[in-house]
Amino acid sequence: MTPTRLTGGLSRRHFALTLPPALLASGCAAPHRGTGRPGDPIVLTLLSHYASGALKEALRGPVDEWNATHDRVKVRTTAVEFSDLLTTFMVRQAAGQGADIIHPYCLWNGQLVQAGVLRPAPRAHAEEITRGYGRAAVGSSSVAGRIYGYPTEVQTYALYYNKRLLREAGVSGPPRTWGELEETAYRTTRRDRYGNTLVQGFGLSTYDDSTTVGQTLALLNAAGGRFVSADGRSTAIDSPAGRAVFDLEHRLVGKGASDPGVNVYKAFPSGQVAMVISAGWWTGNLKALMGKAYGDVGVAPLPLPEADGQHATLSTSFMLGVNAAGRHPREAWEFLRWLNTEKVSAKSAGKNATATRMSLLQASVGSMTGRADDMRTLLGEDSDPNLRPFLDALAYAVPEPNGAGAQQAKSLLRKNIEALWTGQRSVDESLRTTRRQVDQEVSRSW
């Protein structure tokens, strides 16, 4: 659901003008578009990464409901795998086949705005989004202060920990400070008599962009730092907060409490990692994978450098927006309003409970939206307590920077983090190289 399997983005300057066969096979050809006259309804296309399984079925429900209750405007969905999504948006736009409604990862919004793919939200919709969603969700859906869509899936980051492993190491609860985090990581690390690691105290992983970068940016935000400056034109990671994060990770790896080569998505469920930072989407996966052993899993807010600090973490988001080249923007925005703001009965949460269709959709697949009121209603008192820290974090999470060079900047940061973790660069060298490379990327004239 989230960009946890995110690979590299499209070339900065250009892209192929021919649709790849794989994308054509995924249903990218534009359907017939009606005129809106009686008997000839307008057909809006919606392109997302909800291509299979529970996600595809979850989206089908509200779309079928809309189509059954609206005669003049119909919605037709098409989907590609997440790894193809950004390329598909850009290639289809260049070919004049862009979908009316698109569902991007918000990291790409600056690039999509620069390429003329996204249309700014009309004033009335922008006001509804500002009223209905948390600050991080609104920030993710905005570029340079303008809102471009309705937030859908919103993920915040927190600390997962194995209660059994902490208890066996004599630790009574999750760490609240970085000092406690380090102490707990070293105490829970276990090796066999040959020196092979049996349990990592703290999981750092080079698995992909969002795993490597997500954990680091979450810690950076918790330390009061930022990856990119407020104006989006330079990196801010070469700062006291950034240095503190890189120092912390360097020590954890150097002292053997972290092994970045291990896939934490496999190692944590099998009891081989005591603590790891990840996003809330993982909770449902862990429950399904671990069975009874899921009872050992706890979730806590990110530890802070000092006990009296202000909580902060990372959030990542998707949104639904309208194509700048679409022929029926008013109808597209009206469908999005219906899907994302109109409240309907949420029977599973109580007799009189209500929530938006999008919140119901996300909750049905173990995710959240940025509408904290909906999430409080849908989670309820009997819900998994491990979801609560992610809901609470909606109030203080910091969205990923999403300027025009954001995807490339994220990839560059990942390479430098991995160079630090594997001993190829020192903390000083990693910070300097990150600053030089990312500054060049985000400051270029797009």
Side-chain angles (χ1 to χ4, degrees):
M1 297 191 60
T2 64
T4 51
R5 302 294 178 266
L6 184 59
T7 56
L10 197 63
S11 169
R12 295 188 301 271
R13 292 289 182 181
H14 61 278
F15 43 83
L17 296 180
T18 303
L19 288 174
L23 301 188
L24 287 171
S26 299
C28 286
H32 171 71
R33 297 170 186 248
T35 64
R37 294 191 298 268
D40 189 12
I42 293 169
V43 178
L44 302 174
T45 52
L46 188 163
L47 173 60
S48 76
H49 61 294
Y50 289 1
S52 60
L55 291 170
K56 182 177 180 179
E57 291 304 311
L59 180 59
R60 178 179 296 172
V63 170
D64 285 350
E65 179 189 353
W66 169 275
N67 287 337
T69 55
H70 292 77
D71 294 329
R72 196 178 75 86
V73 179
K74 303 294 183 181
V75 176
R76 181 177 299 172
T77 61
T78 186
V80 297
E81 295 299 327
F82 177 76
S83 58
D84 294 325
L85 190 60
L86 177 59
T87 305
T88 306
F89 291 151
M90 301 292 277
V91 170
R92 287 191 55 172
Q93 196 77 3
Q97 296 182 353
D100 297 285
I101 299 168
I102 66 172
H103 193 193
Y105 174 30
C106 290
L107 181 76
W108 307 329
N109 282 352
Q111 182 175 348
L112 294 172
V113 169
Q114 186 71 27
V117 178
L118 283 170
R119 181 187 298 269
R123 181 176 176 178
H125 292 270
E127 290 174 350
E128 286 195 13
I129 292 166
T130 301
R131 284 194 304 269
Y133 296 83
R135 184 172 60 181
V138 175
S140 292
S141 297
S142 303
V143 177
R146 299 192 72 176
I147 295 174
Y148 283 85
Y150 283 90
T152 57
E153 177 189 350
V154 176
Q155 299 292 340
T156 57
Y157 280 65
L159 180 76
Y160 287 87
Y161 62 98
N162 186 303
K163 300 173 188 176
R164 176 182 59 82
L165 293 176
L166 266 62
R167 187 171 57 249
E168 290 174 354
V171 180
S172 60
R176 294 166 297 176
T177 66
W178 286 10
E180 292 178 0
L181 174 68
E182 281 197 76
E183 180 184 359
T184 301
Y186 301 141
R187 289 178 65 172
T188 52
T189 298
R190 287 174 25 211
R191 296 180 179 82
D192 64 19
R193 59 178 179 163
Y194 304 106
N196 299 311
T197 300
L198 299 176
V199 175
Q200 290 184 72
F202 186 79
L204 295 173
S205 180
T206 59
Y207 186 77
D208 59 14
D209 269 11
S210 290
T211 306
T212 303
V213 175
Q215 1 182 45
T216 300
L217 291 188
L219 286 168
L220 180 66
N221 292 339
R226 296 292 182 269
F227 176 33
V228 177
S229 62
D231 64 4
R233 307 300 292 178
S234 64
T235 181
I237 199 168
D238 190 3
S239 63
R243 182 173 298 275
V245 174
F246 275 35
D247 278 335
L248 172 65
E249 294 180 345
H250 187 253
R251 287 194 302 272
L252 289 167
V253 174
K255 294 183 179 181
S258 298
D259 181 357
V262 172
N263 181 351
V264 294
Y265 294 114
K266 293 182 178 179
F268 184 83
S270 62
Q272 296 173 308
V273 174
M275 300 178 292
V276 65
I277 292 170
S278 192
W281 65 268
W282 201 24
T283 304
N285 292 42
L286 289 172
K287 189 178 295 186
L289 283 170
M290 297 178 68
K292 290 183 179 179
Y294 178 73
D296 291 331
V297 176
V299 177
L302 288 192
L304 300 172
E306 304 294 338
D308 59 353
Q310 295 291 318
H311 281 297
T313 188
L314 176 71
S315 72
T316 61
S317 304
F318 284 80
M319 71 163 209
L320 281 165
V322 174
N323 195 320
R327 292 172 54 195
H328 306 288
R330 185 174 65 82
E331 289 80 3
W333 284 115
E334 186 53 40
F335 168 72
L336 294 185
R337 186 203 302 270
W338 175 90
L339 180 63
N340 293 281
T341 71
E342 185 176 305
K343 299 274 188 169
V344 296
S345 174
K347 295 180 181 178
S348 61
K351 183 177 180 181
N352 298 315
T354 62
T356 65
R357 292 176 176 86
M358 179 53 67
S359 290
L360 287 166
L361 185 163
Q362 295 298 331
S364 74
V365 292
S367 185
M368 294 195 303
T369 66
R371 300 187 70 102
D373 58 339
D374 278 0
M375 292 300 103
R376 282 190 290 269
T377 296
L378 295 174
L379 292 181
E381 295 181 359
D382 298 328
S383 65
D384 185 344
N386 284 340
L387 294 173
R388 285 285 156 183
F390 301 105
L391 173 58
D392 294 342
L394 289 173
Y396 57 75
V398 179
E400 287 182 294
N402 64 359
Q407 177 62 71
Q408 182 66 7
K410 184 174 184 177
S411 298
L412 291 169
L413 177 57
R414 175 190 178 184
K415 291 178 182 178
N416 284 289
I417 292 170
E418 291 181 355
L420 171 70
W421 290 353
T422 56
Q424 299 174 56
R425 293 197 184 113
S426 67
V427 169
D428 284 341
E429 290 170 332
S430 297
L431 288 169
R432 283 199 304 267
T433 305
T434 301
R435 181 182 62 194
R436 175 176 54 80
Q437 292 178 344
V438 175
D439 278 359
Q440 182 179 7
E441 186 61 36
V442 299
S443 64
R444 73 172 62 247
S445 177
W446 289 80

PDB file of all heavy atoms in Angstrom, residues 271-299:
ATOM      1  N   GLY A 271      11.472 -12.974  15.345  1.00  0.00           N
ATOM      2  CA  GLY A 271      12.099 -12.793  16.644  1.00  0.00           C
ATOM      3  C   GLY A 271      13.591 -12.578  16.596  1.00  0.00           C
ATOM      4  O   GLY A 271      14.286 -12.781  17.606  1.00  0.00           O
ATOM      5  N   GLN A 272      14.116 -12.117  15.462  1.00  0.00           N
ATOM      6  CA  GLN A 272      15.557 -11.905  15.321  1.00  0.00           C
ATOM      7  C   GLN A 272      15.940 -10.435  15.387  1.00  0.00           C
ATOM      8  O   GLN A 272      17.098 -10.089  15.191  1.00  0.00           O
ATOM      9  CB  GLN A 272      16.033 -12.503  13.984  1.00  0.00           C
ATOM     10  CG  GLN A 272      15.861 -14.009  13.921  1.00  0.00           C
ATOM     11  CD  GLN A 272      16.185 -14.553  12.546  1.00  0.00           C
ATOM     12  OE1 GLN A 272      15.671 -14.087  11.525  1.00  0.00           O
ATOM     13  NE2 GLN A 272      17.053 -15.541  12.508  1.00  0.00           N
ATOM     14  N   VAL A 273      14.975  -9.559  15.643  1.00  0.00           N
ATOM     15  CA  VAL A 273      15.207  -8.128  15.820  1.00  0.00           C
ATOM     16  C   VAL A 273      14.370  -7.671  17.006  1.00  0.00           C
ATOM     17  O   VAL A 273      13.176  -7.974  17.075  1.00  0.00           O
ATOM     18  CB  VAL A 273      14.830  -7.317  14.562  1.00  0.00           C
ATOM     19  CG1 VAL A 273      14.950  -5.819  14.826  1.00  0.00           C
ATOM     20  CG2 VAL A 273      15.714  -7.705  13.385  1.00  0.00           C
ATOM     21  N   ALA A 274      14.993  -6.934  17.926  1.00  0.00           N
ATOM     22  CA  ALA A 274      14.265  -6.502  19.118  1.00  0.00           C
ATOM     23  C   ALA A 274      13.466  -5.233  18.890  1.00  0.00           C
ATOM     24  O   ALA A 274      12.367  -5.085  19.436  1.00  0.00           O
ATOM     25  CB  ALA A 274      15.243  -6.297  20.276  1.00  0.00           C
ATOM     26  N   MET A 275      13.993  -4.302  18.107  1.00  0.00           N
ATOM     27  CA  MET A 275      13.333  -3.014  17.867  1.00  0.00           C
ATOM     28  C   MET A 275      13.588  -2.573  16.438  1.00  0.00           C
ATOM     29  O   MET A 275      14.668  -2.829  15.877  1.00  0.00           O
ATOM     30  CB  MET A 275      13.871  -1.933  18.821  1.00  0.00           C
ATOM     31  CG  MET A 275      13.695  -2.209  20.291  1.00  0.00           C
ATOM     32  SD  MET A 275      14.437  -0.880  21.314  1.00  0.00           S
ATOM     33  CE  MET A 275      16.198  -1.134  20.972  1.00  0.00           C
ATOM     34  N   VAL A 276      12.626  -1.882  15.859  1.00  0.00           N
ATOM     35  CA  VAL A 276      12.794  -1.340  14.514  1.00  0.00           C
ATOM     36  C   VAL A 276      11.791  -0.202  14.325  1.00  0.00           C
ATOM     37  O   VAL A 276      10.700  -0.218  14.905  1.00  0.00           O
ATOM     38  CB  VAL A 276      12.586  -2.431  13.438  1.00  0.00           C
ATOM     39  CG1 VAL A 276      11.158  -2.948  13.444  1.00  0.00           C
ATOM     40  CG2 VAL A 276      12.972  -1.929  12.059  1.00  0.00           C
ATOM     41  N   ILE A 277      12.161   0.769  13.537  1.00  0.00           N
ATOM     42  CA  ILE A 277      11.262   1.877  13.202  1.00  0.00           C
ATOM     43  C   ILE A 277      10.597   1.573  11.863  1.00  0.00           C
ATOM     44  O   ILE A 277      11.287   1.249  10.886  1.00  0.00           O
ATOM     45  CB  ILE A 277      12.037   3.205  13.121  1.00  0.00           C
ATOM     46  CG1 ILE A 277      12.541   3.607  14.506  1.00  0.00           C
ATOM     47  CG2 ILE A 277      11.165   4.315  12.538  1.00  0.00           C
ATOM     48  CD1 ILE A 277      13.510   4.775  14.488  1.00  0.00           C
ATOM     49  N   SER A 278       9.283   1.687  11.823  1.00  0.00           N
ATOM     50  CA  SER A 278       8.576   1.481  10.564  1.00  0.00           C
ATOM     51  C   SER A 278       7.235   2.187  10.628  1.00  0.00           C
ATOM     52  O   SER A 278       6.863   2.767  11.649  1.00  0.00           O
ATOM     53  CB  SER A 278       8.396  -0.007  10.265  1.00  0.00           C
ATOM     54  OG  SER A 278       7.959  -0.204   8.919  1.00  0.00           O
ATOM     55  N   ALA A 279       6.496   2.109   9.510  1.00  0.00           N
ATOM     56  CA  ALA A 279       5.208   2.799   9.392  1.00  0.00           C
ATOM     57  C   ALA A 279       4.063   1.886   9.812  1.00  0.00           C
ATOM     58  O   ALA A 279       4.200   0.659   9.898  1.00  0.00           O
ATOM     59  CB  ALA A 279       5.004   3.280   7.960  1.00  0.00           C
ATOM     60  N   GLY A 280       2.902   2.495  10.047  1.00  0.00           N
ATOM     61  CA  GLY A 280       1.762   1.786  10.603  1.00  0.00           C
ATOM     62  C   GLY A 280       1.188   0.693   9.718  1.00  0.00           C
ATOM     63  O   GLY A 280       0.528  -0.223  10.229  1.00  0.00           O
ATOM     64  N   TRP A 281       1.412   0.769   8.397  1.00  0.00           N
ATOM     65  CA  TRP A 281       0.873  -0.267   7.513  1.00  0.00           C
ATOM     66  C   TRP A 281       1.350  -1.659   7.917  1.00  0.00           C
ATOM     67  O   TRP A 281       0.680  -2.664   7.666  1.00  0.00           O
ATOM     68  CB  TRP A 281       1.280  -0.003   6.062  1.00  0.00           C
ATOM     69  CG  TRP A 281       2.766  -0.115   5.829  1.00  0.00           C
ATOM     70  CD1 TRP A 281       3.679   0.894   5.887  1.00  0.00           C
ATOM     71  CD2 TRP A 281       3.505  -1.303   5.537  1.00  0.00           C
ATOM     72  NE1 TRP A 281       4.949   0.407   5.650  1.00  0.00           N
ATOM     73  CE2 TRP A 281       4.878  -0.939   5.431  1.00  0.00           C
ATOM     74  CE3 TRP A 281       3.158  -2.629   5.362  1.00  0.00           C
ATOM     75  CZ2 TRP A 281       5.883  -1.852   5.158  1.00  0.00           C
ATOM     76  CZ3 TRP A 281       4.173  -3.557   5.084  1.00  0.00           C
ATOM     77  CH2 TRP A 281       5.515  -3.160   4.982  1.00  0.00           C
ATOM     78  N   TRP A 282       2.535  -1.731   8.578  1.00  0.00           N
ATOM     79  CA  TRP A 282       3.165  -3.011   8.876  1.00  0.00           C
ATOM     80  C   TRP A 282       2.390  -3.792   9.934  1.00  0.00           C
ATOM     81  O   TRP A 282       2.508  -5.014  10.031  1.00  0.00           O
ATOM     82  CB  TRP A 282       4.597  -2.762   9.332  1.00  0.00           C
ATOM     83  CG  TRP A 282       5.518  -3.935   9.212  1.00  0.00           C
ATOM     84  CD1 TRP A 282       5.399  -4.998   8.369  1.00  0.00           C
ATOM     85  CD2 TRP A 282       6.722  -4.137   9.956  1.00  0.00           C
ATOM     86  NE1 TRP A 282       6.458  -5.851   8.539  1.00  0.00           N
ATOM     87  CE2 TRP A 282       7.285  -5.351   9.499  1.00  0.00           C
ATOM     88  CE3 TRP A 282       7.376  -3.414  10.945  1.00  0.00           C
ATOM     89  CZ2 TRP A 282       8.480  -5.852  10.019  1.00  0.00           C
ATOM     90  CZ3 TRP A 282       8.566  -3.915  11.447  1.00  0.00           C
ATOM     91  CH2 TRP A 282       9.112  -5.109  10.998  1.00  0.00           C
ATOM     92  N   THR A 283       1.602  -3.103  10.733  1.00  0.00           N
ATOM     93  CA  THR A 283       0.911  -3.747  11.849  1.00  0.00           C
ATOM     94  C   THR A 283       0.042  -4.908  11.372  1.00  0.00           C
ATOM     95  O   THR A 283       0.092  -6.016  11.923  1.00  0.00           O
ATOM     96  CB  THR A 283       0.058  -2.715  12.604  1.00  0.00           C
ATOM     97  OG1 THR A 283       0.886  -1.634  13.020  1.00  0.00           O
ATOM     98  CG2 THR A 283      -0.594  -3.336  13.817  1.00  0.00           C
ATOM     99  N   GLY A 284      -0.782  -4.665  10.363  1.00  0.00           N
ATOM    100  CA  GLY A 284      -1.637  -5.723   9.844  1.00  0.00           C
ATOM    101  C   GLY A 284      -0.850  -6.888   9.274  1.00  0.00           C
ATOM    102  O   GLY A 284      -1.219  -8.058   9.436  1.00  0.00           O
ATOM    103  N   ASN A 285       0.273  -6.574   8.594  1.00  0.00           N
ATOM    104  CA  ASN A 285       1.123  -7.631   8.041  1.00  0.00           C
ATOM    105  C   ASN A 285       1.700  -8.501   9.145  1.00  0.00           C
ATOM    106  O   ASN A 285       1.739  -9.731   9.036  1.00  0.00           O
ATOM    107  CB  ASN A 285       2.264  -7.022   7.225  1.00  0.00           C
ATOM    108  CG  ASN A 285       1.787  -6.357   5.957  1.00  0.00           C
ATOM    109  OD1 ASN A 285       0.780  -5.671   5.957  1.00  0.00           O
ATOM    110  ND2 ASN A 285       2.517  -6.533   4.863  1.00  0.00           N
ATOM    111  N   LEU A 286       2.171  -7.855  10.221  1.00  0.00           N
ATOM    112  CA  LEU A 286       2.758  -8.610  11.323  1.00  0.00           C
ATOM    113  C   LEU A 286       1.726  -9.518  11.979  1.00  0.00           C
ATOM    114  O   LEU A 286       2.010 -10.665  12.333  1.00  0.00           O
ATOM    115  CB  LEU A 286       3.341  -7.650  12.361  1.00  0.00           C
ATOM    116  CG  LEU A 286       4.613  -6.909  11.942  1.00  0.00           C
ATOM    117  CD1 LEU A 286       4.975  -5.855  12.983  1.00  0.00           C
ATOM    118  CD2 LEU A 286       5.774  -7.889  11.751  1.00  0.00           C
ATOM    119  N   LYS A 287       0.522  -9.002  12.144  1.00  0.00           N
ATOM    120  CA  LYS A 287      -0.536  -9.796  12.769  1.00  0.00           C
ATOM    121  C   LYS A 287      -0.804 -11.061  11.953  1.00  0.00           C
ATOM    122  O   LYS A 287      -0.971 -12.161  12.508  1.00  0.00           O
ATOM    123  CB  LYS A 287      -1.798  -8.956  12.896  1.00  0.00           C
ATOM    124  CG  LYS A 287      -2.900  -9.599  13.721  1.00  0.00           C
ATOM    125  CD  LYS A 287      -4.110  -8.684  13.847  1.00  0.00           C
ATOM    126  CE  LYS A 287      -3.774  -7.431  14.615  1.00  0.00           C
ATOM    127  NZ  LYS A 287      -4.982  -6.592  14.872  1.00  0.00           N
ATOM    128  N   ALA A 288      -0.837 -10.918  10.633  1.00  0.00           N
ATOM    129  CA  ALA A 288      -1.096 -12.072   9.766  1.00  0.00           C
ATOM    130  C   ALA A 288       0.079 -13.045   9.750  1.00  0.00           C
ATOM    131  O   ALA A 288      -0.109 -14.266   9.736  1.00  0.00           O
ATOM    132  CB  ALA A 288      -1.394 -11.588   8.346  1.00  0.00           C
ATOM    133  N   LEU A 289       1.295 -12.521   9.777  1.00  0.00           N
ATOM    134  CA  LEU A 289       2.489 -13.363   9.699  1.00  0.00           C
ATOM    135  C   LEU A 289       2.783 -14.102  10.997  1.00  0.00           C
ATOM    136  O   LEU A 289       3.212 -15.262  10.977  1.00  0.00           O
ATOM    137  CB  LEU A 289       3.710 -12.506   9.338  1.00  0.00           C
ATOM    138  CG  LEU A 289       3.879 -12.068   7.895  1.00  0.00           C
ATOM    139  CD1 LEU A 289       4.996 -11.035   7.794  1.00  0.00           C
ATOM    140  CD2 LEU A 289       4.207 -13.272   7.008  1.00  0.00           C
ATOM    141  N   MET A 290       2.563 -13.450  12.123  1.00  0.00           N
ATOM    142  CA  MET A 290       3.078 -13.955  13.386  1.00  0.00           C
ATOM    143  C   MET A 290       2.089 -14.806  14.175  1.00  0.00           C
ATOM    144  O   MET A 290       2.489 -15.527  15.098  1.00  0.00           O
ATOM    145  CB  MET A 290       3.558 -12.785  14.250  1.00  0.00           C
ATOM    146  CG  MET A 290       4.714 -12.024  13.640  1.00  0.00           C
ATOM    147  SD  MET A 290       5.245 -10.593  14.625  1.00  0.00           S
ATOM    148  CE  MET A 290       5.948 -11.411  16.071  1.00  0.00           C
ATOM    149  N   GLY A 291       0.821 -14.752  13.866  1.00  0.00           N
ATOM    150  CA  GLY A 291      -0.143 -15.535  14.612  1.00  0.00           C
ATOM    151  C   GLY A 291      -0.125 -15.180  16.092  1.00  0.00           C
ATOM    152  O   GLY A 291      -0.136 -14.011  16.464  1.00  0.00           O
ATOM    153  N   LYS A 292      -0.044 -16.189  16.954  1.00  0.00           N
ATOM    154  CA  LYS A 292      -0.050 -15.954  18.398  1.00  0.00           C
ATOM    155  C   LYS A 292       1.158 -15.132  18.848  1.00  0.00           C
ATOM    156  O   LYS A 292       1.085 -14.397  19.835  1.00  0.00           O
ATOM    157  CB  LYS A 292      -0.092 -17.278  19.145  1.00  0.00           C
ATOM    158  CG  LYS A 292      -1.416 -18.026  19.020  1.00  0.00           C
ATOM    159  CD  LYS A 292      -1.398 -19.292  19.861  1.00  0.00           C
ATOM    160  CE  LYS A 292      -2.732 -20.025  19.750  1.00  0.00           C
ATOM    161  NZ  LYS A 292      -2.728 -21.284  20.562  1.00  0.00           N
ATOM    162  N   ALA A 293       2.262 -15.265  18.142  1.00  0.00           N
ATOM    163  CA  ALA A 293       3.476 -14.538  18.512  1.00  0.00           C
ATOM    164  C   ALA A 293       3.303 -13.032  18.359  1.00  0.00           C
ATOM    165  O   ALA A 293       4.113 -12.261  18.906  1.00  0.00           O
ATOM    166  CB  ALA A 293       4.667 -15.003  17.672  1.00  0.00           C
ATOM    167  N   TYR A 294       2.241 -12.601  17.657  1.00  0.00           N
ATOM    168  CA  TYR A 294       1.996 -11.161  17.530  1.00  0.00           C
ATOM    169  C   TYR A 294       1.746 -10.526  18.898  1.00  0.00           C
ATOM    170  O   TYR A 294       1.962  -9.323  19.079  1.00  0.00           O
ATOM    171  CB  TYR A 294       0.801 -10.903  16.607  1.00  0.00           C
ATOM    172  CG  TYR A 294       0.459  -9.439  16.464  1.00  0.00           C
ATOM    173  CD1 TYR A 294       1.260  -8.585  15.714  1.00  0.00           C
ATOM    174  CD2 TYR A 294      -0.669  -8.911  17.094  1.00  0.00           C
ATOM    175  CE1 TYR A 294       0.958  -7.240  15.596  1.00  0.00           C
ATOM    176  CE2 TYR A 294      -0.981  -7.567  16.975  1.00  0.00           C
ATOM    177  CZ  TYR A 294      -0.163  -6.738  16.226  1.00  0.00           C
ATOM    178  OH  TYR A 294      -0.463  -5.407  16.123  1.00  0.00           O
ATOM    179  N   GLY A 295       1.348 -11.311  19.855  1.00  0.00           N
ATOM    180  CA  GLY A 295       1.153 -10.796  21.210  1.00  0.00           C
ATOM    181  C   GLY A 295       2.423 -10.236  21.821  1.00  0.00           C
ATOM    182  O   GLY A 295       2.367  -9.471  22.797  1.00  0.00           O
ATOM    183  N   ASP A 296       3.592 -10.611  21.275  1.00  0.00           N
ATOM    184  CA  ASP A 296       4.873 -10.081  21.760  1.00  0.00           C
ATOM    185  C   ASP A 296       5.189  -8.703  21.189  1.00  0.00           C
ATOM    186  O   ASP A 296       6.141  -8.060  21.630  1.00  0.00           O
ATOM    187  CB  ASP A 296       6.023 -11.031  21.390  1.00  0.00           C
ATOM    188  CG  ASP A 296       5.969 -12.346  22.146  1.00  0.00           C
ATOM    189  OD1 ASP A 296       5.447 -12.353  23.272  1.00  0.00           O
ATOM    190  OD2 ASP A 296       6.456 -13.363  21.603  1.00  0.00           O
ATOM    191  N   VAL A 297       4.413  -8.247  20.202  1.00  0.00           N
ATOM    192  CA  VAL A 297       4.717  -6.993  19.512  1.00  0.00           C
ATOM    193  C   VAL A 297       4.096  -5.812  20.244  1.00  0.00           C
ATOM    194  O   VAL A 297       2.912  -5.828  20.584  1.00  0.00           O
ATOM    195  CB  VAL A 297       4.219  -7.024  18.051  1.00  0.00           C
ATOM    196  CG1 VAL A 297       4.457  -5.674  17.373  1.00  0.00           C
ATOM    197  CG2 VAL A 297       4.921  -8.136  17.281  1.00  0.00           C
ATOM    198  N   GLY A 298       4.906  -4.799  20.485  1.00  0.00           N
ATOM    199  CA  GLY A 298       4.413  -3.534  21.010  1.00  0.00           C
ATOM    200  C   GLY A 298       4.834  -2.404  20.098  1.00  0.00           C
ATOM    201  O   GLY A 298       5.769  -2.542  19.302  1.00  0.00           O
ATOM    202  N   VAL A 299       4.135  -1.289  20.191  1.00  0.00           N
ATOM    203  CA  VAL A 299       4.466  -0.097  19.414  1.00  0.00           C
ATOM    204  C   VAL A 299       4.491   1.098  20.350  1.00  0.00           C
ATOM    205  O   VAL A 299       3.605   1.234  21.212  1.00  0.00           O
ATOM    206  CB  VAL A 299       3.458   0.149  18.269  1.00  0.00           C
ATOM    207  CG1 VAL A 299       3.787   1.440  17.529  1.00  0.00           C
ATOM    208  CG2 VAL A 299       3.456  -1.024  17.294  1.00  0.00           C
TER     209      VAL A 299
END
